[in-house]
Amino acid sequence: MTSGTPDGAVPADGRAAAETGPKGGPRRRPPTVTTATVRPEGGGRAAPGDAPAPARQWPLLTVLVLAGLGLLVVGTDPFPQAFRVGAILVGAALLTGAAIRRVLPSVGMLAVRSRFTDVITYGVMGGLIVLLALMVQPHPWLRIPFLEDVLHLTVT
């Protein structure tokens, strides 16, 4: 018995059931060669199409400016502990990207993968950078004894 017909007969138009789609139309075969990539979920414009390019990509620019500010603070070293503050800014930029990606339906070029993967990737990387910036020696702002013991076991 073939699917699509009650007694296994060929449909009236002569096509076999394997060649027809769910509504009786022709079924489309997947291409053998990929010619393009699919836009990630939420990868549409963050502003109307008639807005200038920076306005359409404001989520990405927000993250890049914050990360650039952090790198500038680290590179210029204008005050004591600037390396720590700059690294925290870089981590905060990634955490901001995770929050924007999670909340907004359309984020432009900030969308790289699926929404779930982007949020997890940005969030974990940003959290780790902030954590490491808080724990960097000398005089860490955050002490986690378990991690200090692991570090001493691996170094000595």
Side-chain angles (χ1 to χ4, degrees):
M1 188 164 183
T2 357
S3 63
T5 58
D7 58 357
V10 176
D13 61 356
R15 290 182 295 185
E19 296 173 3
T20 60
K23 295 183 180 178
R27 189 167 63 176
R28 186 172 169 207
R29 292 185 180 180
T32 56
V33 177
T34 304
T35 58
T37 57
V38 178
R39 182 188 307 174
E41 171 192 359
R45 294 181 177 135
D50 58 346
R56 290 193 310 261
Q57 296 299 331
W58 72 264
L60 179 65
L61 289 175
T62 301
V63 172
L64 289 177
V65 165
L66 194 55
L69 182 64
L71 292 174
L72 184 68
V73 168
V74 170
T76 58
D77 198 21
F79 52 89
Q81 303 290 325
F83 64 95
R84 189 183 314 265
V85 172
I88 290 173
L89 281 172
V90 170
L94 289 171
L95 291 173
T96 301
I100 290 173
R101 185 71 170 104
R102 173 67 178 101
V103 172
L104 295 180
S106 187
V107 293
M109 289 178 21
L110 186 62
V112 179
R113 298 157 291 267
S114 70
R115 186 177 312 274
F116 175 79
T117 305
D118 280 345
V119 170
I120 295 298
T121 303
Y122 294 148
V124 168
M125 294 300 291
L128 286 175
I129 290 172
V130 169
L131 182 67
L132 290 173
L134 292 173
M135 295 179 64
V136 73
Q137 298 290 335
H139 313 296
W141 291 355
L142 175 68
R143 290 187 180 272
I144 301 177
F146 169 76
L147 292 178
E148 287 180 1
D149 293 341
V150 169
L151 178 65
H152 288 296
L153 287 175
T154 59
V155 173
T156 57

